[in-house]
Amino acid sequence: MSTPSDDEALADARAKIDELDQRIHALINERAGIALKVAEIKQAAGRTDFYRPEREAQVLERVAARNEGPLSDEAAARIMREIMSACLALEKPMTVAYLGPEGTYTQAAVYKHFGHAVLASPKPAIGDIFRDVEAGNAHFGVVPVENSTEGVVTHTLDQLVGSRLSICGEVALAVHHHLLSHAGELGAVKRVVAHAQSLAQCRNWLDTHLPGVVREAVASNGEAARRVAGDPTAAAIAARAASDFYDLPILASNIEDEPNNTTRFLVLGTQHVAASGNDMTSILVSIRNRPGMLYRLLAPAADAGVDLARIESRPSRRQAWDYNFFIDIEGHADDAPVRRVIESIEAEAVMLKILGSYPRSIGRDAE
C-alpha cells in the first residue's frame, strides 16, 4: 500500500511531465510556424525543393550525436522524424508510392524514412512504382533492393537500367517475420503464403514446424495476408502491421532463420540530392567482354582509397554473357575523390550511368 509521501512524489512527477508536455507542444507548434514561413519563402522564390533529403539526414545525425539517453539514438531520431514529417506536410503534402498492398515491409520503410504524415500509395508491382513517380503521380517511390540473407531484388535492378529516376535515399529495416492465420494452431495450417524471399528467409523454421505444408509465393507479404484473411486453413508470413490491418492473429513470432535479417530499400525521385556528409553513390556500368576488364574498372577506386561498398552483376539482355554491373561507392559524386574514380571508370566502360548520390540510412529500426 502506498504511503502519502509516495502519492505526493508521484503527483509531483506527473505535474512535471504535464509541464514539460506543454512546453514541448509549444515548441513543436513554433517549429511548425517557422516551417510555414520557409514554405512561403520558397514559393516566392519559385523553388520546388520542399523536401531536402540531405537536410533531413543532417538533422537526424545531429539528433543521434547529441542524444544522452535514456532514449536510444534510434528512438530519438524516430520522434524527430515524425515532427519533421508533420511540419513538411504543412509546407507540401507528399505522396510516396510503395509495393503494396497495405501491411508490407515496404510500407514500413516508407514510414521510417518519411514519417506518417505522407500519403503512402500502394502499387501492385515494382514497375508500377517507377512509372508512378516518372509520371508525376507520386513525389517519391520506395522499392526493396537487397536482403541481408537472400541477396538482391533483381526486378528493382533491372528497372533502374532504363529509368530516368534517381536514387534519393536508402532505408535499412530490420525485418521480423510473423506467421499470421485464423487457423488457431499450427496443426491446422495446410498452406503458407508469402513473398518468395520471405519463404526463403524462413525456410528452416518452416521445415521444422510445418514440414510438408504447401508453400505459395505471391507478389508481396501484404498480398499474402490479404489472401489468407478469409481462409482458416492458410497462414501468411508478414509484418506485424499486416496482423493489425487484416485482423489476423499471430500464430508465431520472429520466425526468420537469421535474427539480424535486414532489408535495404531505395528511395526513388527526380531530384539531385546534395552532399550530406555521409553519402553513398550508386552507378551502373557496362564493360567490354575482355580479360582483366573488371579489374581495370575497379582498380582506380583502390588507388584513390575510395571504398566500393557493393558490386552486383545482371545480364544486360543485349547479347549472351554480357553483363551490367551495379556498384555502390562510399561518398558523394560531387566529392573530388569519388568524382575522379567515376571518371576513371567511365574511361574504361562502354557505358556508365550515375543512378544517384544520397544520404546513408540512419539505423535499422525493426518493422
Side-chain angles (χ1 to χ4, degrees), residues 154-219:
T154 57
H155 194 186
T156 294
L157 296 185
D158 292 341
Q159 288 288 326
L160 285 169
V161 175
S163 176
R164 302 188 306 273
L165 301 180
S166 296
I167 302 173
C168 300
E170 67 172 3
V171 188
L173 192 70
V175 172
H176 296 298
H177 292 307
H178 308 285
L179 192 72
L180 315 180
S181 178
H182 287 296
E185 58 182 16
L186 290 179
V189 175
K190 306 302 180 186
R191 180 169 59 103
V192 176
V193 186
H195 188 277
Q197 282 216 349
S198 297
L199 289 171
Q201 292 162 23
C202 303
R203 184 182 296 112
N204 292 338
W205 190 93
L206 293 172
D207 289 345
T208 301
H209 295 89
L210 293 172
V213 172
V214 174
R215 301 173 193 179
E216 179 183 336
V218 293

Side-chain angles (χ1 to χ4, degrees), residues 181-322:
S181 178
H182 287 296
E185 58 182 16
L186 290 179
V189 175
K190 306 302 180 186
R191 180 169 59 103
V192 176
V193 186
H195 188 277
Q197 282 216 349
S198 297
L199 289 171
Q201 292 162 23
C202 303
R203 184 182 296 112
N204 292 338
W205 190 93
L206 293 172
D207 289 345
T208 301
H209 295 89
L210 293 172
V213 172
V214 174
R215 301 173 193 179
E216 179 183 336
V218 293
S220 71
N221 292 321
E223 172 65 14
R226 187 188 67 80
R227 288 195 184 191
V228 309
D231 184 353
T233 68
I237 296 174
R240 187 176 295 276
S243 171
D244 298 332
F245 189 86
Y246 295 100
D247 194 25
L248 276 167
I250 297 177
L251 281 185
S253 295
N254 301 342
I255 66 172
E256 63 278 0
D257 297 331
E258 295 293 334
N260 294 320
N261 187 26
T262 301
T263 296
R264 178 182 175 227
F265 301 83
L266 299 179
V267 180
L268 305 172
T270 58
Q271 67 188 89
H272 171 81
V273 179
S276 73
N278 183 23
D279 302 290
M280 183 80 78
T281 296
S282 296
I283 63 175
L284 166 66
V285 181
S286 179
I287 63 176
R288 300 171 183 84
N289 190 10
R290 297 177 183 171
M293 280 303 302
L294 185 57
Y295 171 80
R296 292 172 61 183
L297 193 74
L298 304 180
D303 295 340
V306 172
D307 288 335
L308 301 182
R310 189 175 290 100
I311 179 168
E312 298 286 346
S313 63
R314 287 288 295 153
S316 69
R317 301 183 181 179
R318 290 182 295 268
Q319 62 185 24
W321 317 119
D322 193 55

Side-chain angles (χ1 to χ4, degrees), residues 6 18 35 60 78 105 115 137-138 154 188 213 225 238 244 259 269 341 350 353:
D6 291 335
D18 290 343
L60 295 176
R78 188 162 56 246
Y105 295 105
N137 297 325
T154 57
V213 172
D244 298 332
V341 168
V350 174
K353 176 183 179 183

Side-chain angles (χ1 to χ4, degrees), residues 100-183:
E102 291 86 353
T104 61
Y105 295 105
T106 314
Q107 184 183 35
V110 169
Y111 290 140
K112 179 189 175 184
H113 189 80
F114 290 98
H116 285 73
V118 298
L119 174 61
S121 177
K123 300 298 166 185
I126 288 175
D128 294 322
I129 299 169
F130 278 81
R131 284 187 287 272
D132 220 43
V133 180
E134 289 170 346
N137 297 325
H139 297 93
F140 295 93
V142 175
V143 294
V145 70
E146 182 183 18
N147 178 264
S148 58
T149 58
E150 292 301 313
V152 297
V153 179
T154 57
H155 194 186
T156 294
L157 296 185
D158 292 341
Q159 288 288 326
L160 285 169
V161 175
S163 176
R164 302 188 306 273
L165 301 180
S166 296
I167 302 173
C168 300
E170 67 172 3
V171 188
L173 192 70
V175 172
H176 296 298
H177 292 307
H178 308 285
L179 192 72
L180 315 180
S181 178
H182 287 296

